[in-house]
């Protein structure tokens, strides 16, 4: 029976390592999603500006509104997590 305990400990350690890897992978995927969205917006902005330079101001206002909204959502989410 003494041999079973180290195996159980190794199994528990392996499970904990796998859970940590899963959390790390989820964080990385979330960051990749954010970067992908930003790259998509940048591409869209470039195409739009080349197509119609007058739209640059409109795009800037839209981007500013989006960033303000994103910041408010982040603040609200932090408040929810604190409660």
């Amino acid at each position: 029976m003494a041999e079973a305990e180290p195996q159980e400990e190794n199994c528990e350690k392996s499970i904990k390592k796998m859970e940590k890897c899963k959390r790390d992978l989820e964080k990385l995927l979330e960051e990749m999603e954010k970067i992908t969205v930003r790259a998509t917006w940048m591409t869209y902005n470039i195409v739009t500006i080349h197509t119609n330079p007058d739209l640059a101001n409109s795009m800037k206002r839209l981007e500013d509104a989006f960033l303000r909204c994103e910041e408010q959502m982040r603040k609200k989410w932090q408040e929810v997590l604190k409660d």
Side-chain angles (χ1 to χ4, degrees):
M1 295 216 74
E3 292 179 16
E5 290 179 16
Q7 287 179 348
E8 288 177 10
E9 288 178 18
N10 286 340
C11 185
E12 288 177 14
K13 287 180 183 178
S14 294
I15 290 171
K16 287 180 182 179
K17 285 181 182 179
M18 291 293 288
E19 288 172 353
K20 184 181 182 322
C21 285
K22 181 181 175 186
R23 284 191 306 269
D24 292 346
L25 181 60
E26 286 174 354
K27 286 181 183 179
L28 288 171
L29 288 173
E30 187 175 317
E31 288 301 314
M32 287 176 60
E33 283 180 27
K34 290 178 183 178
I35 291 169
T36 302
V37 168
R38 288 182 185 150
T40 302
W41 274 106
M42 289 173 66
T43 303
Y44 180 76
N45 288 342
I46 290 168
V47 170
T48 303
I49 290 169
H50 282 294
T51 304
N52 185 354
D54 294 334
L55 292 176
N57 291 335
S58 296
M59 292 300 297
K60 181 63 178 157
R61 287 195 314 267
L62 179 61
E63 181 182 13
D64 291 343
F66 170 79
L67 293 174
R68 285 192 305 272
C69 179
E70 183 181 44
E71 181 62 27
Q72 289 299 318
M73 294 293 287
R74 189 175 295 126
K75 287 179 183 178
K76 291 291 183 186
W77 182 245
Q78 291 300 321
E79 289 174 12
V80 167
L81 291 178
K82 288 180 183 177
D83 294 338

